[in-house]
Amino acid sequence: MHIANSVALVTGASRGLGRHFVTQLLERGATKVYATARNPESVDLPGAEVLTLDITDPVSVAAVAKAASDVTLLVNNAGINTMNELVSGDLDAIEQEMNTAYYGPLRMIRAFAPILKAAGGGAIVNVLSAASWVPSGHWGAYHAAKAAAWSLTNSVRLELSSQNTLVTGVYMGPTDTGLTRGLSFPFELNDPADIVRAALDGVEANQSEVIADPLSAQVKAQLALDPATIYTPAAPTA
């Protein structure tokens, strides 16, 4: 997958990782980058084509797919963290997390898979998290939604392999974005520019997974351990 001369679409492009994706895609020579957000007036990225998109709304997704029918690289970046526990948290908020992290990317993939196929395959990037692999005791809704998105990524990769579409999952620990603002961590947060750079390098290298920081590598390596060893309130979160 070559980013130069590609046509990309980034969800959640108004801030955080999304802004960096748009900027770096343009810097790498993408012919066109659609920067999408629920509030398009919040996107101020020179060189990008701004579109209104709510990934939780099927009508909005269909409209964007019609408007951006030349896309060759889809970046599913939009996300939320309502900081709800699963047992005692607000159920509507939990459903919102799943709608944003799982059903939203699924809607986008279903809408754009035929477009990518017509373009020769293209690529899909799903922005995930080390939280896909290990939960904490406080953000159960976020962890469950990211775990579902991990499974979605792996299944979609298999389903789209016959049309030559690269599906790349990007995994990271806590990163300096709006999702972590106001929270404290016992270590330095990742620079979002570094995460995006690693993600796009991975796409150009045709990687199925991009483990973007040491914490994510450590967490993934723990998957073979006894769950009682790692599923504790002190486990890493993202």
Side-chain angles (χ1 to χ4, degrees), residues 29-121:
T31 301
K32 185 189 301 182
V33 179
Y34 295 104
T36 72
R38 283 180 296 178
N39 301 309
E41 63 277 5
S42 65
V43 182
D44 56 346
L45 293 164
E49 295 200 19
V50 181
L51 295 175
T52 303
L53 173 63
D54 179 354
I55 63 170
T56 69
D57 179 2
V59 174
S60 180
V61 171
V64 163
K66 183 176 180 180
S69 60
D70 52 350
V71 164
T72 61
L73 172 59
L74 170 64
V75 180
N76 285 315
N77 164 75
I80 58 169
N81 183 358
T82 67
M83 301 182 186
N84 271 267
E85 297 180 0
L86 289 172
V87 176
S88 59
D90 181 80
L91 189 57
D92 288 340
I94 294 169
E95 290 178 348
Q96 182 186 15
E97 294 238 22
M98 191 65 71
N99 204 11
T100 303
Y102 178 79
Y103 287 108
L106 178 58
R107 290 185 189 96
M108 293 295 292
I109 291 168
R110 288 169 64 96
F112 280 90
I115 294 171
L116 296 175
K117 181 179 181 179

Side-chain angles (χ1 to χ4, degrees), residues 2-187:
H2 299 291
I3 291 173
N5 300 318
S6 67
V7 176
L9 185 146
V10 180
T11 68
S14 63
R15 60 181 183 172
L17 289 168
R19 288 183 62 88
H20 286 278
F21 268 110
V22 173
T23 299
Q24 291 191 31
L25 285 164
L26 289 169
E27 290 174 350
R28 292 184 185 224
T31 301
K32 185 189 301 182
V33 179
Y34 295 104
T36 72
R38 283 180 296 178
N39 301 309
E41 63 277 5
S42 65
V43 182
D44 56 346
L45 293 164
E49 295 200 19
V50 181
L51 295 175
T52 303
L53 173 63
D54 179 354
I55 63 170
T56 69
D57 179 2
V59 174
S60 180
V61 171
V64 163
K66 183 176 180 180
S69 60
D70 52 350
V71 164
T72 61
L73 172 59
L74 170 64
V75 180
N76 285 315
N77 164 75
I80 58 169
N81 183 358
T82 67
M83 301 182 186
N84 271 267
E85 297 180 0
L86 289 172
V87 176
S88 59
D90 181 80
L91 189 57
D92 288 340
I94 294 169
E95 290 178 348
Q96 182 186 15
E97 294 238 22
M98 191 65 71
N99 204 11
T100 303
Y102 178 79
Y103 287 108
L106 178 58
R107 290 185 189 96
M108 293 295 292
I109 291 168
R110 288 169 64 96
F112 280 90
I115 294 171
L116 296 175
K117 181 179 181 179
I124 297 169
V125 176
N126 285 347
V127 177
L128 302 171
S129 169
S132 301
W133 298 321
V134 61
S136 73
H138 303 291
W139 296 356
Y142 180 79
H143 290 274
K146 286 298 186 181
W150 171 41
S151 182
L152 163 71
T153 300
N154 291 334
S155 295
V156 166
R157 182 181 298 116
L158 290 175
E159 292 184 21
L160 297 183
S161 61
S162 62
Q163 70 173 50
N164 199 36
T165 297
L166 172 69
V167 178
T168 301
V170 180
Y171 303 85
M172 73 205 78
T175 300
D176 189 9
T177 69
L179 290 181
T180 56
R181 190 161 297 128
L183 303 176
S184 61
F185 297 90
F187 44 77

